[in-house]
Amino acid sequence: MSTFPAKPENIERHIAFLTYDAVKLLDVTGPLQVFSDANALLGRDAYTTTLASLYGGPVTTDTGVALNTRRLAGVGLDTSDTLIACGGEGVHTASRDNRLIAGIQRAAEKCGRVASTCTGAFLLGKAGLLDGRRAVTHWHDCEALARAFPETEVDPDPIFIEDDGVWTSAGVTAGIDLALALVEADHGRDLALDLARNMLVYVKRPGGQSQFSEALGQQTPSATGKFDALHMWMKDNLTADLRVDALAHRSGMSPRNFARLYTEETGLTPARAVEQMRVDAARAMLENPAVSVRTIALRTGFGNDERMRRSFARRLGITPQAYRERFAVDVVESVAS
């Protein structure tokens, strides 16, 4: 793989998105939008983008939307360009295509930077581009990536990783994070911040993908739906008594039986579930700078800001104030402002 050159102000960089049948549409269009918006903010074509596939022609995405692509071998990448292997349901079938893998290897030798979104990391791994490097993919697939490519150090937590010119990212929307980081590397932090504000996203999300996957897991109904109604009530009553005895009484069970069944059903202890719900609610409120940390701690059931600080440290690895500061710096404050 070529060495990525230092960033001359007016260089035009080519970004090629490698696709295949059943590629995830958002893995392509999310980063694609970042580079398009970067051109608009810069007022020039700093980036040209190409949708590529092994043979060119129409590629059907996971949504059924067809993408018109060019043949990978004919894209013409050089040392100032980037190849991004996109993820999706079809990635494992694609990774068994030796002609495609050979095409990725040839392209990587020519371009200065290689990247993947979500499970596109499996294509880079099959091409040998992750050997001896750190990498990440969607949290659900990290163990499979580590098993498939034992010479790769798979770190399941980061949103994205860069290791010696090879960039990998976590699940789906993390492709936007990756693209923002590439733009920052090319054109500086100010442009990346402007892009993030325009897109209403973080330029660098606090914490790692593990915290987001855990929070999303809380939004998923339990296996049989047994505790769905209880979860809805808990989220609406975070300041109530949510200890095991009270939750068991509300569920018509003994505390011991409730704790056992709840953990079996959700994979979390009741105490951890309550804490995560309160942290999630507090995170949303911290995005409003007009509400004090102390008030948020009271409204979300922590009782005081010190107890909320300890919970944030356990669950997210940062303090509530640090979470707020990162949001205020990196994300547009409100539509009205």
Side-chain angles (χ1 to χ4, degrees), residues 1-7 11-16 35 46-47 77-85 104 107-116 124 129 133 161-168 178-188:
M1 186 169 54
S2 304
T3 301
F4 204 66
K7 47 183 182 187
I11 193 170
E12 182 178 311
R13 302 191 187 278
H14 194 166
I15 312 292
F35 296 115
Y47 296 100
L77 299 172
D78 63 29
T79 56
S80 63
D81 301 331
T82 303
L83 175 69
I84 300 179
I104 293 172
E109 291 174 357
K110 298 176 182 178
C111 65
R113 202 163 51 184
V114 175
S116 65
L124 300 189
L129 300 174
R133 290 184 167 95
I161 291 174
E162 187 273 331
D163 191 335
D164 193 26
V166 176
W167 300 65
T168 52
L178 173 72
L180 286 169
L182 295 176
V183 170
E184 181 175 347
D186 296 341
H187 297 283

Side-chain angles (χ1 to χ4, degrees), residues 188-210:
R189 182 170 175 79
D190 287 347
L191 179 61
L193 281 170
D194 286 344
L195 283 170
R197 291 189 180 102
N198 284 352
M199 299 181 76
L200 295 178
V201 296
Y202 290 100
V203 69
K204 289 184 179 177
R205 277 194 259 181
Q209 68 164 324
S210 61

